[in-house]
Amino acid sequence: MIQVTKTYLPQADDFHQYTTEIMNSCTITNHGKMVQTLTSRLEAYLGVKNLLLVSNGTLALQVAYKLLGLRGEVITTPFSFVATTSSLVWEGLTPVFADIDEQSFNMDPKEILKKITPKTSAIVPVHVFGNPCEYEAIEAIAKKHHLKVIYDAAHCFDVQHEQASILNQGDISMISFHATKIFHTIEGGALIIQDDQLYEQAKKMINFGICGEGNIECLGINAKMNEFQAAMGLSILDDIQANIQKRKRIHELYDQAFEKIEGITTQTKMKNTKYNYAYYPIVVEDTIRFHQILTALKQQNYHPRRYFYPALNTIDYLPYEEMPNAEYLAQRILCLPLYDSLEHEDVKNMISIIQSVV
Ligand SMILES: *Cc1c(COP(=O)(O)O)cnc(C)c1O
């Protein structure tokens, strides 16, 4: 069975070397050597500073909102994984949706402008599937209206725009290291915090607000990454370049095929982007054909995913407001299988199944 992705696992020996070291040291969590090493290696690899490892990406978002003292309304996208919205609601904030651009799949800055009220405290955009948002326009809006910007950059491992990491945008960016993402620590994530003082504050916040023995400095939570998670990250970081290259080949095969198929479009990437080939979404204009394609692929044991479906403005626990572009896309999008060890034979098979339906 071919799924949309397959978790990348390291060579057992590589992982065991790290875990043996952890067991010998007897420090298995609380900012141990593995977490420290992974932090500095990731900062160097990604080209960022003030990177803080945490136990998962959703907590990274929640910590970011607390750190920036958000209140009231937060403008965000209806086209994302549910965690972008649910983390806001969980923190007692009110998500206000701004519709997306149909081509880039990202929030449209013009729509953001329409949603600003005196209660707005921040914007939470998503670089959907690792495609950079129009961050310059978003920054200009935020400056003018005194809003914070937190990027959900969950998909953006190793994504650059104009030769700089996209993770340096906004007041804070977060990334997810969940097992389904291209770089992972089983569960995990990180915050990239532009302001040095906020970064120091965040370190305390993810450890119950404790700073030194007997000193509780601020309100905190437990969001620490443990040593075994960091060991997983370290043992696959060495392989990441090769992994991305293999994905690139598959991405190219899909690209060549879908250029020529009528009625199917793909995501328009921002110019001058170094992409990480994390996802391959296709949009099937005709919804009947969409379901025919999905059924035909499943019959042959290929399981693409409807990322992202449903649109988040249709979630039951939120008031509904129409978002035409996000709802249009959510009804028509399929992410095709894409991972390093996917056989080219299977890619070609999937392409011909789709061609035969169309
Ligand atoms: C995966 C993901 C998250 C959540 O990250 P976890 O590490 O799974 O908690 C948030 N936003 C988006 C867009 C994601 O894809």
Side-chain angles (χ1 to χ4, degrees):
M1 184 152 118
I2 307 259
Q3 305 269 18
V4 68
T5 193
K6 187 171 172 189
T7 297
Y8 183 81
L9 288 174
Q11 296 295 316
D13 285 352
D14 290 347
F15 187 56
H16 285 159
Q17 262 183 5
Y18 288 112
T19 55
T20 306
E21 200 179 325
I22 295 170
M23 311 268 255
N24 289 340
S25 77
C26 225
T27 299
I28 63 174
T29 187
N30 285 12
H31 203 64
K33 187 181 157 200
M34 297 295 154
V35 163
Q36 292 172 38
T37 309
L38 184 61
T39 301
S40 50
R41 283 196 58 193
L42 284 176
E43 286 182 341
Y45 182 87
L46 297 170
V48 301
K49 62 164 195 170
N50 296 348
L51 180 144
L52 186 63
L53 291 170
V54 292
S55 46
N56 66 63
T58 304
L59 268 170
L61 285 169
Q62 288 171 230
V63 168
Y65 308 152
K66 271 279 191 307
L67 202 56
L68 294 170
L70 304 195
R71 49 199 160 64
E73 298 173 0
V74 176
I75 300 173
T76 188
T77 174
F79 189 74
S80 181
F81 180 60
V82 63
T84 316
T85 288
S86 61
S87 57
L88 289 167
V89 178
W90 196 265
E91 290 299 332
L93 298 158
T94 306
V96 173
F97 296 110
D99 208 355
I100 55 165
D101 173 87
E102 263 178 71
Q103 257 91 49
S104 71
F105 307 170
N106 289 331
M107 235 187 340
D108 182 344
K110 291 191 296 294
E111 298 295 321
I112 297 175
L113 271 177
K114 291 183 199 163
K115 295 304 177 95
I116 296 173
T117 76
K119 287 189 195 148
T120 311
S121 64
I123 310 171
V124 177
V126 180
H127 304 294
V128 175
F129 304 133
N131 186 30
C133 289
E134 287 183 52
Y135 58 83
E136 280 172 358
I138 292 172
E139 192 181 323
I141 294 170
K143 255 209 183 115
K144 184 163 173 218
H145 296 272
H146 308 287
L147 305 175
K148 304 289 184 194
V149 181
I150 298 127
Y151 279 103
D152 179 333
H155 305 159
C156 291
F157 190 88
D158 215 4
V159 171
Q160 295 182 359
H161 184 245
E162 311 274 11
Q163 266 120 55
S165 173
I166 199 70
L167 299 168
N168 287 320
Q169 295 305 323
D171 296 282
I172 299 178
S173 286
M174 77 61 107
I175 184 164
S176 166
F177 299 149
H178 183 260
T180 53
K181 308 296 204 274
I182 71 169
F183 170 83
H184 75 92
T185 58
I186 309 169
E187 294 268 0
L191 291 154
I192 293 92
I193 301 167
Q194 293 307 314
D195 182 83
D196 294 339
Q197 256 175 321
L198 272 182
Y199 170 64
E200 293 305 323
Q201 177 84 358
K203 281 192 208 165
K204 295 168 207 158
M205 204 179 254
I206 66 163
N207 187 32
F208 313 100
I210 294 172
C211 181
E213 223 178 290
N215 190 13
I216 300 164
E217 266 194 25
C218 60
L219 176 66
I221 186 124
N222 182 2
K224 300 185 301 291
M225 177 176 279
N226 72 50
E227 290 290 278
F228 290 91
Q229 287 174 290
M232 177 60 79
L234 283 169
S235 46
I236 63 180
L237 190 55
D238 292 331
D239 307 337
I240 193 79
Q241 276 304 327
N243 183 329
I244 290 175
Q245 282 313 307
K246 287 181 190 154
R247 287 168 169 277
K248 184 174 180 213
R249 272 300 295 140
I250 294 167
H251 205 277
E252 283 165 358
L253 287 177
Y254 279 139
D255 265 348
Q256 283 158 16
F258 291 115
E259 262 167 28
K260 294 178 217 126
I261 302 183
E262 219 30 61
I264 294 183
T265 53
T266 56
Q267 185 181 29
T268 307
K269 302 280 181 348
M270 181 173 259
K271 286 207 180 72
N272 301 322
T273 297
K274 181 183 160 235
Y275 188 50
N276 61 8
Y277 308 98
Y279 299 90
Y280 201 91
I282 59 168
V283 183
V284 186
E285 269 163 49
D286 183 320
T287 51
I288 294 170
R289 188 161 284 170
F290 170 90
H291 287 284
Q292 286 169 341
I293 289 174
L294 189 55
T295 309
L297 286 169
K298 282 189 176 169
Q299 269 168 359
Q300 310 264 343
N301 245 346
Y302 297 113
H303 294 262
R305 280 291 288 271
R306 298 186 69 184
Y307 285 150
F308 296 106
Y309 174 84
L312 300 176
N313 59 310
T314 66
I315 296 179
D316 277 347
Y317 57 75
L318 293 172
Y320 175 74
E321 187 191 347
E322 197 183 354
M323 293 282 135
N325 293 352
E327 288 171 50
Y328 178 94
L329 193 62
Q331 294 291 344
R332 290 165 176 81
I333 196 160
L334 272 187
C335 279
L336 299 180
L338 175 56
Y339 49 88
D340 64 296
S341 61
L342 181 62
E343 302 282 349
H344 289 191
E345 248 343 275
D346 283 310
V347 176
K348 288 170 191 162
N349 259 340
M350 284 186 277
I351 291 168
S352 39
I353 292 168
I354 294 168
Q355 272 165 340
S356 65
V357 174
V358 175

